[in-house]
Amino acid sequence: MELRVAKDVLDAGVKILFDVIEGIDNTTPSEEWNYFRDEKIKELLVRYQDLDVHQDPILEGYNILHDNTGVRRRKNIPASENLIKLLRKHCGMNPINKAVDIYNIVSMDTKLALGAHNIDKVDGNVTLRFTDGTEHFQPIGADGPIPRAAHEYSYIDDSNEVLCRLEIRQVLKTLVTEETTNIFYIVQGNAATSEEYLREGAQQIIDLTTKFCGGRGRIVVPKVV
């Protein structure tokens, strides 16, 4: 599997790295992880209790990116902003599985837009590119495919299936479950995130995932196409 990005997406202001982590154990319970998770959530609740999303350069940076690419703000809340809003609303975060919880916590901690996908369910390569409207898209929770508009930056595999629309909605096809052992992670930034900051976020995912789930991880710079 090769990870790619179209030059016009980079020119629009998307910043992107990927992590690949293989051979994880996402099933075995860990008291150490549960303690870390609970303490981190408490820390985030304190940090964000007075957060003004539109005054935060990174969170607002995704909305500006949407503006610049013709995506409506109201119905398209960036992933990290949405996670933080849900955290504050519910005063916590419902556990899903270790690998997913790790990237959700890192997303809230760094405010980077992150996503995780089961490598073994991907057809061929993955390219971050603008849609042309012909792609197949069935997000998590949908009963069937949903038509997609053209000119939305999305992560698409060689079967022309959208794996993640913008940095907002992931799909059933590559859903990470407890049985998943090989994962690629999206690590997406914007004009307000430096390359160093993006790489630090990518390394944080690798460090936490390999600590609590095992496996072998590496940061991947996508091929520009």
Side-chain angles (χ1 to χ4, degrees), residues 171-189:
V171 300
L172 188 63
K173 176 178 177 175
T174 53
L175 177 70
V176 171
T177 68
E178 289 186 349
E179 289 71 37
T180 302
T181 57
N182 303 308
I183 301 176
F184 83 85
Y185 292 83
I186 294 164
V187 186
Q188 185 188 311

Side-chain angles (χ1 to χ4, degrees), residues 1-4 117-129 135-136 154-164 171 173-174 184:
M1 180 187 70
E2 189 171 66
L3 297 164
R4 304 167 173 171
H117 298 268
N118 187 336
I119 289 174
D120 298 320
K121 301 294 184 179
V122 174
D123 288 303
N125 305 306
V126 176
T127 305
L128 170 56
R129 63 171 174 82
E135 295 83 4
H136 182 276
S154 299
Y155 299 80
I156 302 165
D157 73 9
D158 283 350
S159 70
N160 204 35
E161 181 146 9
V162 173
L163 305 183
C164 185
V171 300
K173 176 178 177 175
T174 53
F184 83 85

Side-chain angles (χ1 to χ4, degrees), residues 40-41 50 92:
K40 194 66 181 180
I41 288 171
D50 298 317

Side-chain angles (χ1 to χ4, degrees), residues 5-6 8 10 34 48 60 82 106 114 118 127 133 142 150 153-154 157 160-161 169 178 185 196 205-206 209 216 221:
V5 60
D8 56 354
L10 295 177
N34 291 339
Y48 293 133
E60 182 63 6
N82 194 49
V106 174
L114 308 178
N118 187 336
T127 305
Y153 58 88
S154 299
D157 73 9
N160 204 35
E161 181 146 9
R169 292 199 72 181
E178 289 186 349
Y185 292 83
E196 181 182 5
I205 294 173
I206 290 174
T209 304
R216 306 165 304 282
V221 178

Side-chain angles (χ1 to χ4, degrees), residues 49-61:
Q49 60 183 346
D50 298 317
L51 176 69
D52 183 339
V53 169
H54 299 297
Q55 294 301 314
D56 185 279
I58 296 176
L59 295 176
E60 182 63 6

